[in-house]
């Protein structure tokens, strides 16, 4: 067999699946964002129109929800990075060689526990008069359901996705680099800030792909602990389901896609995607 | 510095585990509304959950979907990994980006895209949504886990062993059977485990691709989450899933040593 034939044989099925089916589906979705729905009959009008995007740009509610979603995703990412950095640093550079694999397991085991189970656990924890309220001194004293709860629970859910790449990055970082910094007179904190953090930026960016994207599209956790809070995902979901306006849902869905594509293309050069 | 890090690590682990422990304790909490702290201990809810047909059926559906999706992902992911490793071709970088796309994009986007595509293409052919459409949806985002694991293994082992095998006169399928496959086996297993877990846990794409009457375990939990009288049973199901989540870690550890227990994002 010639190499060309072998390559074709290897790629035929995956390309049909991922390029034709999946990319095709995404493309169709994007095209349908320019269609509209007849208000009386509910039938889809397949004629090019910018109406959906005009509505999104004109009405305050969509701008507010988009900004809120990006804000939540950014807050979750920052919270995860802030928590993951010291934990991963401890695991990779401070803990004894014997404790290290066990710490990795301890951090990663919850990843295998169900997403819903974890969100549910927080619903119980945050309930009015629940354990967190009791701990803080009575019903209504804890954060309760709402926007802060959404950020907290999403950060909880995606934290291991940040710890893992950062830990891997730190493990690859030779100790000699840190020792050189110390020999040149830098204190622990200075070395951490000036040497360690810049060198593991690609790992943090790789972790942020997960934390940011997973938060941006979430609408389940919001329903479980968010009270009346709405994110882009909730609006898309409402337009697919209750409102039965797929074109408008598609137009709304292009917002997170656009944000993610910009993000992915921007970070591809940094080599962060290799660390996923 | 070291002490601070130690404290942060301990607090971080507490943050990770306290909510899960709470679910485990509540599964034997005698009070229907999980009054805290629990006053009496009961196994009533475990018995009720065991007898719950909906939960049991949902578990079976989830296992079927995860097995199907993993099987497809194993084939597709390995094929792409081989193509990317062994050949230089036009669009190779784009292809590796495309494979990440289904998990990098928000689940709801993949969900509605697959839903409307299925309705307009497969619907025309008379194939409605059912368990099969769930398998197709899950396989799409599971491919990346296999691809990453297999590609990493191929890069590490190189092609010299296969060349040696060919030099010694092995036919291509013999080389695959006795050299390539054994080298890949643990990578396939790690990727497969990950893919199974991703599929088993998925709810968003599932919501959009499941046909009527197809209820996976996550969907079952979600629909029963807001029903107060179902709370104890939901809590037991949650507790079971927490206990079960130790299994893949244990399995991965037994297969390849502690470090391999780590790879959920496929190192």
């Amino acid at each position: 067999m010639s190499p060309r034939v072998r390559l074709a044989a290897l790629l035929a099925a995956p390309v049909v699946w991922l390029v034709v089916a999946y990319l095709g589906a995404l493309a169709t979705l994007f095209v349908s964002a320019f269609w509209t729905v007849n208000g009386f009959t509910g039938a889809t009008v397949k004629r090019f129109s910018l109406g959906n995007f005009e509505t999104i740009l004109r009405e305050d509610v969509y701008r507010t929800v988009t900004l809120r979603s990006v804000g939540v995703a950014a807050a979750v990412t920052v919270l995860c990075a802030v928590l993951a950095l010291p934990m991963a640093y401890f695991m990779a550079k401070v803990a004894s060689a014997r404790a290290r694999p066990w710490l990795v397991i301890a951090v990663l085991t919850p990843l295998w526990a169900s997403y819903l189970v974890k969100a549910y656990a927080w619903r119980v924890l945050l309930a009015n008069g629940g354990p967190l309220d009791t701990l803080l001194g009575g019903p209504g004293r804890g954060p309760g359901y709402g926007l802060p709860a959404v950020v907290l629970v999403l950060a909880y859910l995606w934290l291991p996705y940040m710890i893992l790449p950062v830990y891997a990055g730190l493990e690859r970082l030779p100790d000699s680099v840190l020792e050189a910094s110390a020999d040149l007179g830098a204190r622990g904190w200075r070395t951490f800030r000036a040497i360690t953090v810049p060198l593991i930026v690609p790992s943090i960016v790789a972790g942020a792909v997960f934390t940011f994207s997973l938060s941006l599209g979430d609408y389940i956790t919001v329903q479980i602990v968010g009270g009346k809070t709405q994110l882009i995902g909730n609006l898309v979901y409402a337009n697919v389901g209750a409102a039965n306006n797929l074109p408008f849902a598609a137009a709304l869905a292009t917002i997170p896609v656009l944000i993610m594509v910009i993000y992915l293309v921007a970070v591809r050069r940094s080599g962060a995607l290799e660390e996923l | 510095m070291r002490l601070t890090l130690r404290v942060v690590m301990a607090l971080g682990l507490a943050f990770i585990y306290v909510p899960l422990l709470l679910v485990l304790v509540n599964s034997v909490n005698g009070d229907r509304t999980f009054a805290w702290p629990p006053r009496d201990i009961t196994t009533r809810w475990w018995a009720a959950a065991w007898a719950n047909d909906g939960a049991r059926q949902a578990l079976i559906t989830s296992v079927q979907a995860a097995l199907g999706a993993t099987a497809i992902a194993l084939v597709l992911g390995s094929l792409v990994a081989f193509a990317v490793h062994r050949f230089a071709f036009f669009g190779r970088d784009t292809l590796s980006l495309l494979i990440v796309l289904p998990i990098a994009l928000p689940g709801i986007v993949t969900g509605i895209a697959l839903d409307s595509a299925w309705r307009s293409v497969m619907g025309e052919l008379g194939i409605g949504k059912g368990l099969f459409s769930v398998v197709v949806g899950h396989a799409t985002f599971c491919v990346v886990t296999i691809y990453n694991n297999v590609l990493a293994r191929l890069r590490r082992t190189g092609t010299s062993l296969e060349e040696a095998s060919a030099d010694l006169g092995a036919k291509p399928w013999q080389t695959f059977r006795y050299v390539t496959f054994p080298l890949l086996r643990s990578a396939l297993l790690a990727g497969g485990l990950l893919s199974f877990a991703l599929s088993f846990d998925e709810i968003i794409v599932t919501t959009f691709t499941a046909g009527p009457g197809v209820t996976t375990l996550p969907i079952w939990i979600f629909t029963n989450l807001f029903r107060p009288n179902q709370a104890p049973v939901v809590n037991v199901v949650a507790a079971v899933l927490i206990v079960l989540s130790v299994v893949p870690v244990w399995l991965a550890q037994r297969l390849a040593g502690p470090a391999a227990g780590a790879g959920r994002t496929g190192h």
Side-chain angles (χ1 to χ4, degrees), chain A residues 197-262:
Chain A
V197 173
L199 281 175
I200 55 160
V201 162
S203 310
I204 299 176
V205 172
V209 170
F210 285 107
T211 56
F212 197 82
S213 139
L214 290 168
S215 307
L216 202 57
D218 190 273
Y219 68 95
I220 304 274
T221 295
V222 190
Q223 287 181 51
I224 295 176
V225 296
K228 290 191 173 66
T229 312
Q230 288 210 312
L231 298 181
I232 299 181
N234 302 90
L235 295 185
V236 176
Y237 185 73
N239 275 290
V240 179
N244 200 18
N245 190 341
L246 192 62
F248 193 68
L252 279 172
T254 52
I255 301 173
V257 173
L258 216 62
I259 296 172
M260 272 327 287
V261 167
I262 292 170

Side-chain angles (χ1 to χ4, degrees), chain A residues 12 19 60 64 81 96 102 104 133 155 158 192 198 216 218 248 258 265:
Chain A
V19 179
D60 282 343
T64 314
S96 69
W102 295 106
V104 174
D133 273 4
W158 316 135
F192 185 72
L216 202 57
D218 190 273
F248 193 68
L258 216 62
V265 170

